[in-house]
């Protein structure tokens, strides 16, 4: 059996097919208002392979000049992020165990060859709340490690409708996406994978 680091939870099939379709519709509406943009690494400016947008009062962004940060507006359009839909607020209430609402929902879109290197989610001023992560569309190979770089890692697949939580002792575990398995889900008509991460950013 796969042993996950303490504080890391994988909840397979947390969302019904209907709930997944409804979420995709919500995400389409968000992307229409806040288009996916190409994030770039701090300093080097190397483009990431995922495409990103956000909803919530704060959104996580990155670019060459200013690096990783949260901000209330879209980096390209300058418009405020659309609000987090009620369905995502309910998922947070059901799973997070945290008594205050999330402020940010990062929307990551992975086309067939996109991936994400091992990293920690540590740009928040508050690590008391878990990161609640929702997978939609094609299956991916997810990797999670310890709270220090170079520690042991374990890999497992995330299917559409799965939830992963990084909380408590696992809040700062390294994690990343090694690959997407094309055509493993019919949820997104053009394929690919959407990942939503709900986060509390500030101290309440
Ligand atoms: C992330 O760490 O921002 C994304 C994780 C995922 O795509 O599952
Ligand atoms: Fe992350």
């Amino acid at each position: 059996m796969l042993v996950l680091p303490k504080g890391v939870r994988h909840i397979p099939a947390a969302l019904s097919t209907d709930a997944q379709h409804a979420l995709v519709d919500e995400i389409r509406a968000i992307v229409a208002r806040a288009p996916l943009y190409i994030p770039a690494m701090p300093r080097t400016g190397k483009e990431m392979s995922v495409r990103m947008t956000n909803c919530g009062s704060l959104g996580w962004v990155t670019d060459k000049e200013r690096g990783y940060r949260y901000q209330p507006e879209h980096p390209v359009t300058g418009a405020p992020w659309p609000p987090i839909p009620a369905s995502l607020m309910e998922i947070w209430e059901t799973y997070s165990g945290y008594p205050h609402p999330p402020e940010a929902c990062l929307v990551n879109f992975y086309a067939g060859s996109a991936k994400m290197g091992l990293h920690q989610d540590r740009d928040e001023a508050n690590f008391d709340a878990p990161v609640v992560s929702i997978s939609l569309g094609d299956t991916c190979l997810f990797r999670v490690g310890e709270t220090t770089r170079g520690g042991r890692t374990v890999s497992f697949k995330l299917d559409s409708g799965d939830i992963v939580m990084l909380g408590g002792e696992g809040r700062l575990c390294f994690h990343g996406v090694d690959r997407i398995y094309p055509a493993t889900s019919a949820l997104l008509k053009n394929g690919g994978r959407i990942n939503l991460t709900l986060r509390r950013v500030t101290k309440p």
Side-chain angles (χ1 to χ4, degrees):
M1 207 194 81
L2 193 69
V3 180
L4 299 182
K6 276 211 180 66
V8 178
R9 271 181 71 195
H10 176 205
I11 307 155
L15 304 180
S16 70
T17 306
D18 283 353
Q20 294 173 47
H21 278 287
L23 259 184
V24 170
D25 288 344
E26 303 268 25
I27 300 306
R28 283 192 209 291
I30 288 163
V31 170
R33 287 174 62 183
L36 293 166
Y37 79 99
I38 305 178
M41 301 296 287
R43 292 181 299 278
T44 64
K46 188 180 175 339
E47 289 183 355
M48 296 173 73
S49 56
V50 300
R51 298 294 175 258
M52 290 183 177
T53 190
N54 289 268
C55 53
S57 54
L58 291 169
W60 187 89
V61 297
T62 176
D63 57 28
K64 180 179 197 291
E65 292 73 24
R66 296 174 61 203
Y68 301 158
R69 63 196 186 273
Y70 283 94
Q71 63 180 42
E73 64 283 315
H74 192 288
V76 178
T77 69
W81 304 108
I84 298 176
S87 55
L88 287 174
M89 289 296 197
E90 278 167 29
I91 290 171
W92 176 267
E93 279 160 27
T94 303
Y95 291 99
S96 72
Y98 188 75
H100 305 282
E103 295 163 300
C105 176
L106 174 63
V107 178
N108 287 141
F109 178 74
Y110 297 76
S113 59
K115 54 192 178 204
M116 189 176 288
L118 278 179
H119 65 276
Q120 290 172 298
D121 288 8
R122 52 176 302 163
D123 300 315
E124 301 73 32
N126 177 2
F127 299 139
D128 296 339
V131 174
V132 176
S133 163
I134 300 159
S135 291
L136 296 169
D138 286 336
T139 298
C140 78
L141 185 61
F142 186 72
R143 182 193 292 268
V144 61
E146 298 172 351
T147 55
T148 50
R149 193 178 279 285
R152 184 187 73 106
T153 66
V154 290
S155 296
F156 55 98
K157 287 182 177 178
L158 294 181
D159 296 322
S160 193
D162 288 9
I163 287 182
V164 169
M165 293 216 296
L166 304 181
E169 284 176 72
R171 175 63 180 74
L172 292 175
C173 282
F174 279 84
H175 58 281
V177 171
D178 288 342
R179 61 165 300 192
I180 307 296
Y181 298 96
T184 44
S185 163
L187 187 71
L188 305 176
K189 64 174 184 300
N190 297 317
R193 171 175 183 264
I194 294 171
N195 171 258
L196 308 173
T197 45
L198 292 163
R199 304 176 185 144
R200 179 77 197 188
V201 180
T202 66
K203 294 192 201 301

